[in-house]
Amino acid sequence: MSGDLPLNINIKEPRWDQGTFMGRAQHFFMVTDPRNVLLSSEVLEDARVTVENYRLGIVKPGLTEDQLWRAKYIYDSAFHPDTGEKMLLVGRMSAQVPMNMTITGCMLTFYRTTPAVVFWQWVNQSFNAIVNYTNRSGDAAITMNQLGAAYVSATTGAVVTALGLKSLTKHLPAIMGRFVPFAAVAAANCINIPFMRQRELKCGIPVTDAEGKRLGESSKAAQQAIIQVVVSRIGMAVPAMAIPPVIMNALEKKAFMKRFPVLNAPVQVGLVGFCLVFATPLCCALFPQKSSMKVSSLEPELQESIRQSNPSITTVYFNKGL
């Protein structure tokens, strides 16, 4: 070993207690930090080398514990936890705030005409497809046919929902129309995420013991993981898509907004961004990243396999994805 930093720091786990909501929130405020998207390839590579070397017992001279944790969170923000591959930039959780504030702000601003609704729902679902694929759980590959089917299904579902609700709100107060994008996004999340992760539902995701030893693959675990991610994603959308419409409905009646209508979109995007800075990490923290299930809830054949090889294990763990 070189350097003075001890090798017993467990960087396989987050720095904060993941058994509490506050601990998970602190963790995800680091993972979703929008500033991480500005990091250069050299910085990401240096973080990867630092983390992987530390796991091998090699410590860079002069490395401090804070620097190690900083490298770990840079690594986590850019590299997939199961495959180790560098993730697509726009699909990383650190890109959620800047990307979603722009797309959501535009969906909430340009909702009055059918072409605008179709276009922005298509843009949003294209982005969601990338995010869902990038943050999938497990290391199983997904085919282009599966990706295409998921993308078409989610986009169609979002557009149909948005247009259907838009027609229903024609005779309701104007503010009701502002909530159409949220309903469409919620419906699309229920379609997009399961479709983009359908291979996990068919083949299962890796489940491990408390030490990280792989015990097999479980579709039951995949079902629980996907439900948790859907709930978190809809939760993220609630503040960003429910609060700005109310504020904008009041602001648009003001004289200065009527005089400068060009401010509508920038103000809306800014409001959405402010909400997302807090909603994104807090909703990611609703469930532990390393989720768990009782062995008795798994598939019968996997239960039998675990009981034969590891009879003392009662709980398994898995990466739920994001």
Side-chain angles (χ1 to χ4, degrees):
M1 167 184 170
S2 62
D4 300 320
L5 195 67
L7 289 173
N8 60 355
I9 301 172
N10 184 11
I11 59 170
K12 290 182 179 179
E13 300 294 334
R15 190 172 191 174
W16 295 277
D17 180 12
Q18 297 300 284
T20 67
F21 176 76
M22 287 306 298
R24 295 195 296 272
Q26 287 178 289
H27 167 69
F28 281 111
F29 267 107
M30 293 291 289
V31 172
T32 63
D33 187 341
R35 293 173 297 179
N36 288 339
V37 300
L38 303 175
L39 298 176
S40 67
S41 297
E42 291 75 19
V43 172
L44 296 180
E45 182 61 19
D46 183 64
R48 184 188 68 80
V49 171
T50 298
V51 169
E52 292 182 354
N53 280 350
Y54 184 83
R55 289 172 178 170
L56 295 173
I58 304 169
V59 181
K60 185 165 61 176
L63 185 71
T64 66
E65 183 173 348
D66 284 341
Q67 289 172 336
L68 175 64
W69 281 112
R70 174 61 180 156
K72 179 251 192 316
Y73 275 102
I74 291 174
Y75 176 86
D76 285 353
S77 75
F79 295 89
H80 193 278
D82 292 325
T83 66
E85 296 174 353
K86 185 185 287 187
M87 296 184 286
L88 294 168
L89 179 62
V90 296
R92 299 173 194 168
M93 292 309 291
S94 52
Q96 283 284 293
V97 172
M99 292 297 295
N100 267 326
M101 67 183 283
T102 303
I103 296 171
T104 304
C106 289
M107 280 196 296
L108 293 174
T109 302
F110 308 111
Y111 66 92
R112 290 183 173 89
T113 67
T114 298
V117 169
V118 172
F119 176 75
W120 285 108
Q121 288 295 335
W122 168 72
V123 170
N124 187 51
Q125 289 314 308
S126 298
F127 171 63
N128 282 344
I130 294 171
V131 172
N132 294 335
Y133 173 73
T134 303
N135 294 282
R136 67 198 183 280
S137 175
D139 49 15
I142 183 169
T143 67
M144 292 306 295
N145 285 341
Q146 290 170 331
L147 278 174
Y151 174 66
V152 171
S153 300
T155 304
T156 302
V159 170
V160 168
T161 302
L163 293 179
L165 290 174
K166 183 174 179 295
S167 65
L168 290 174
T169 57
K170 283 181 179 177
H171 305 294
L172 296 175
I175 192 171
M176 297 303 294
R178 292 181 179 272
F179 292 98
V180 167
F182 169 67
V185 166
N189 274 327
C190 295
I191 301 169
N192 195 323
I193 296 171
F195 264 96
M196 290 304 292
R197 296 176 60 175
Q198 61 183 292
R199 183 174 176 80
E200 299 172 35
L201 293 171
K202 292 177 182 177
C203 304
I205 56 175
V207 294
T208 69
D209 61 15
E211 305 303 317
K213 179 185 175 184
R214 193 161 176 164
L215 302 172
E217 287 75 36
S218 170
S219 295
K220 296 279 190 182
Q223 291 172 17
Q224 178 174 308
I226 289 170
I227 289 171
Q228 290 177 347
V229 171
V230 168
V231 171
S232 293
R233 292 287 188 84
I234 293 174
M236 284 180 208
V238 171
M241 302 191 81
I243 297 173
V246 175
I247 296 174
M248 289 305 297
N249 197 60
L251 286 180
E252 286 180 356
K253 297 172 183 176
K254 303 294 183 182
F256 75 95
M257 287 296 285
K258 290 179 179 178
R259 193 178 311 144
F260 304 107
V262 71
L263 292 176
N264 194 308
V267 171
Q268 190 118 243
V269 168
L271 288 170
V272 170
F274 179 79
C275 292
L276 285 173
V277 164
F278 298 97
T280 300
L282 292 177
C283 288
C284 282
L286 289 175
F287 306 99
Q289 182 64 34
K290 185 178 179 181
S291 287
S292 61
M293 284 186 80
K294 294 293 184 184
V295 171
S296 57
S297 299
L298 299 172
E299 294 85 343
E301 59 273 17
L302 183 55
Q303 289 184 40
E304 186 61 29
S305 171
I306 293 173
R307 288 185 181 124
Q308 286 182 0
S309 59
N310 301 276
S312 62
I313 293 177
T314 58
T315 304
V316 296
Y317 301 88
F318 54 91
N319 170 33
K320 71 174 175 64
L322 285 171

